Amino acid sequence: MKYWIWVAWLAVVVSIFSYYSWRLFATEEKSDFLIGETSYGHYQIEMSCDSCHTSAFGGTEVLQDACENCHAADLEMAHDSHPTKKFTDPRNADRLEVVDARYCVSCHTEHQHEQTREMGVTLPDDYCYHCHEDIAEDRESHKDLPFDSCASAGCHNFHDNRALYENFLIDNANQPWLLEIANLEVPNAANKTIKENAVSLGLADADFTKAKKVNVTETVLNDWAHSSHAAAGVNCMGCHQGEDKEWIEKPGHEQCGSCHANEVQTFTEGKHGMRLSTVLSKPLKPMSPSESHMKFTETGQQSHQNCVACHQSHTFDRVFAATEACLDCHADEHSLAFLDSPHGQLWQANKSDKETAAEQVSCATCHMPRMVKGKGEKQIVSVNHNQNFNLKPNEKMIRSVCMDCHGLGFAINAIADEALIKNNFNGQPGVEIESIDWALKREE
């Protein structure tokens, strides 16, 4: 009898071992091995475990390298208010005993859903106290403020304070709520990739016939012939031909990147395209809204996030991609309120004029800000396709977007007003942040 018990026990152990070995090494589905629910910022890539856990026996240093592999450039661009070098200074050694701020995981511990707060922070909200407990002695305005309010909208951010530095507040105080001249740069990056001798193409020029056994519908041909691609001399084989000269039925972001490198790079840095990032140990399947934590339309839940999900194959209509594509998927309160908002009404009134549409406020205007490099004839204006670039904390949106049209004081108040955000800025702020007043008083 004991013999058969041992045989049965061994069979069960071998079966369990075989099953989990198969899940670990032969499939992409590895959720059984997660030690806890993944944070909002990382759940899309939770199946790419070794992108962060690059060594089975790696410790804090290994995890820090993984964090910096994705986020170091953003921190540098933000002029990080709390860089690592600040905490490697011997004068701050005693502070590390409470919070070792040299390492990202000291504040952002992954797989700790129960204690994860906004921005993936896993420390109590009053963590600023440990280093700034005597702030009220230096600043009268801070005397009765609780330490769990430091990171409230319009006050401070741990990393990115570019719109909240005292000098910046003072320099931009007393601005009108709406600037007389809006400053929206028109994207021209795609134009820079067009060959000097490029000739506009028409239906008769379509070269899909070079590929074997390829049938193209009349609708597809007409869409292409009236697209910006045809106007720029980009023919069928320009997108559909791979390195091996074979026909690619559905070109992916790799083909788009041959002309739109910056757009594809930033796309893979945001939530829409992060699963396709080359930073991962291996790219995953494109994200589907059905897997997201947010609210989406029934139609949107069936899509997958790649370039043509927004830009539509063969038409490549930037006007459609700027708003309609967003609203085809997003069904949250903020998105649904856009068309009735002042921004949305201006967009609808002017979107048909492609010459002025780029100067109007669409979803993309705010959530995919223009990036300007160079000056004069060498100036390149591209669209940052990382839609999370300035989303959280939302003060990042002030300098990159809001102040193109609005004064600083209005912008700070507007993004601090949760009700105004929900109705897509349909009205004046009902919240007043005193940051500018405090900065001016301190300068007196």
Side-chain angles (χ1 to χ4, degrees):
M1 183 66 179
K2 287 185 177 180
Y3 170 79
W4 290 110
I5 292 176
W6 279 104
V7 170
W9 176 83
L10 183 61
V12 170
V13 170
V14 171
S15 298
I16 294 174
F17 177 80
S18 300
Y19 170 75
Y20 282 107
S21 296
W22 171 72
R23 291 291 294 270
L24 182 61
F25 298 109
T27 71
E28 291 187 2
E29 174 54 52
K30 296 179 174 61
S31 56
D32 291 341
F33 301 97
L34 293 174
I35 61 174
E37 188 172 338
T38 315
S39 69
Y40 179 77
H42 291 149
Y43 77 92
Q44 284 199 32
I45 57 173
E46 63 185 13
M47 292 297 99
S48 183
C49 306
D50 48 359
S51 292
C52 296
H53 303 281
T54 56
S55 171
F57 302 100
T60 304
E61 295 289 350
V62 170
L63 291 176
Q64 181 66 16
D65 288 342
C67 296
E68 292 180 354
N69 195 31
C70 288
H71 301 289
D74 284 344
L75 291 175
E76 183 178 357
M77 186 183 298
H79 305 294
D80 188 6
S81 302
H82 292 83
T84 301
K85 64 182 180 181
K86 178 176 289 189
F87 299 99
T88 55
D89 186 326
R91 291 171 295 180
N92 291 323
D94 60 313
R95 302 181 188 276
L96 302 182
E97 295 179 5
V98 180
V99 178
D100 192 346
R102 295 173 300 172
Y103 301 105
C104 301
V105 294
S106 296
C107 300
H108 305 277
T109 304
E110 191 52 87
H111 304 299
Q112 301 291 333
H113 178 69
E114 295 78 9
Q115 64 189 60
T116 301
R117 295 169 173 77
E118 190 76 8
M119 299 296 298
V121 175
T122 49
L123 291 177
D125 292 335
D126 62 354
Y127 59 86
C128 299
Y129 170 81
H130 300 297
C131 294
H132 302 282
E133 67 272 18
D134 57 353
I135 187 64
E137 297 176 11
D138 181 50
R139 297 171 185 261
E140 180 68 22
S141 58
H142 288 53
K143 185 175 181 180
D144 298 316
L145 296 178
F147 278 94
D148 61 2
S149 69
C150 300
S152 299
C155 293
H156 305 283
N157 291 315
F158 189 84
H159 292 296
D160 190 342
N161 283 286
R162 283 174 292 176
L164 303 171
Y165 286 125
E166 274 190 332
N167 289 343
F168 186 76
L169 296 175
I170 293 169
D171 291 343
N172 292 278
N174 303 315
Q175 291 179 331
W177 79 274
L178 183 64
L179 304 182
E180 291 185 9
I181 301 177
N183 181 31
L184 290 176
E185 298 284 357
V186 178
N188 67 352
N191 299 338
K192 301 293 183 180
T193 65
I194 300 175
K195 297 178 181 179
E196 292 184 5
N197 59 348
V199 178
S200 179
L201 304 174
L203 279 173
D205 302 307
D207 64 354
F208 69 93
T209 54
K210 293 181 180 179
K212 298 178 180 179
K213 299 180 180 179
V214 173
N215 294 315
V216 179
T217 66
E218 184 177 346
T219 300
V220 166
L221 283 176
N222 278 317
D223 285 345
W224 166 78
H226 292 88
S227 73
S228 56
H229 277 188
V234 179
N235 218 317
C236 306
M237 302 302 283
C239 298
H240 287 275
Q241 182 174 261
E243 294 182 0
D244 57 1
K245 306 299 182 182
E246 292 296 318
W247 177 266
I248 301 174
E249 183 64 24
K250 294 184 177 181
H253 66 286
E254 300 91 347
Q255 283 71 41
C256 300
S258 62
C259 291
H260 306 285
N262 181 72
E263 286 77 8
V264 169
Q265 174 63 35
T266 52
F267 170 70
T268 60
E269 292 171 355
K271 292 287 181 65
H272 285 170
M274 64 190 295
R275 283 190 174 184
L276 305 175
S277 174
T278 55
V279 173
L280 300 181
S281 56
K282 63 175 181 178
L284 302 171
K285 294 179 180 178
M287 180 68 174
S288 169
S290 62
E291 302 171 81
S292 175
H293 297 167
M294 297 175 63
K295 292 182 179 180
F296 291 94
T297 64
E298 288 293 329
T299 303
Q301 291 186 26
Q302 309 307 316
S303 65
H304 287 83
Q305 299 307 301
N306 52 31
C307 300
V308 296
C310 299
H311 288 281
Q312 298 183 309
S313 299
H314 303 106
T315 58
F316 308 109
D317 187 347
R318 288 191 301 180
V319 173
F320 174 84
T323 291
E324 280 81 355
C326 307
L327 300 182
D328 275 355
C329 286
H330 290 276
D332 57 278
E333 195 170 351
H334 175 80
S335 299
L336 295 177
F338 174 74
L339 294 179
D340 292 327
S341 72
H343 288 163
Q345 291 170 9
L346 284 171
W347 170 254
Q348 292 178 87
N350 294 278
K351 68 176 183 179
S352 59
D353 184 351
K354 293 192 176 183
E355 294 298 320
T356 62
E359 301 174 8
Q360 305 305 319
V361 181
S362 64
C363 301
T365 307
C366 298
H367 296 290
M368 293 185 177
R370 287 89 191 271
M371 302 175 67
V372 181
K373 293 182 179 180
K375 295 181 179 180
E377 294 182 358
K378 294 183 178 180
Q379 185 182 81
I380 297 178
V381 182
S382 60
V383 176
N384 187 339
H385 280 58
N386 174 1
Q387 87 293 344
N388 292 96
F389 174 74
N390 60 7
L391 191 59
K392 290 186 178 182
N394 63 6
E395 289 90 353
K396 293 170 69 175
M397 196 172 284
I398 293 175
R399 292 186 70 163
S400 62
V401 173
C402 303
M403 291 185 68
D404 286 340
C405 302
H406 299 284
L408 176 61
F410 173 85
I412 290 177
N413 292 336
I415 62 169
D417 189 336
E418 293 187 9
L420 193 62
I421 293 173
K422 287 182 178 180
N423 70 27
N424 215 300
F425 306 103
N426 192 353
Q428 292 289 320
V431 173
E432 184 174 356
I433 303 300
E434 299 178 84
S435 300
I436 294 178
D437 294 335
W438 289 346
L440 291 173
K441 186 175 181 179
R442 180 175 164 81
E443 191 189 39
E444 293 177 355

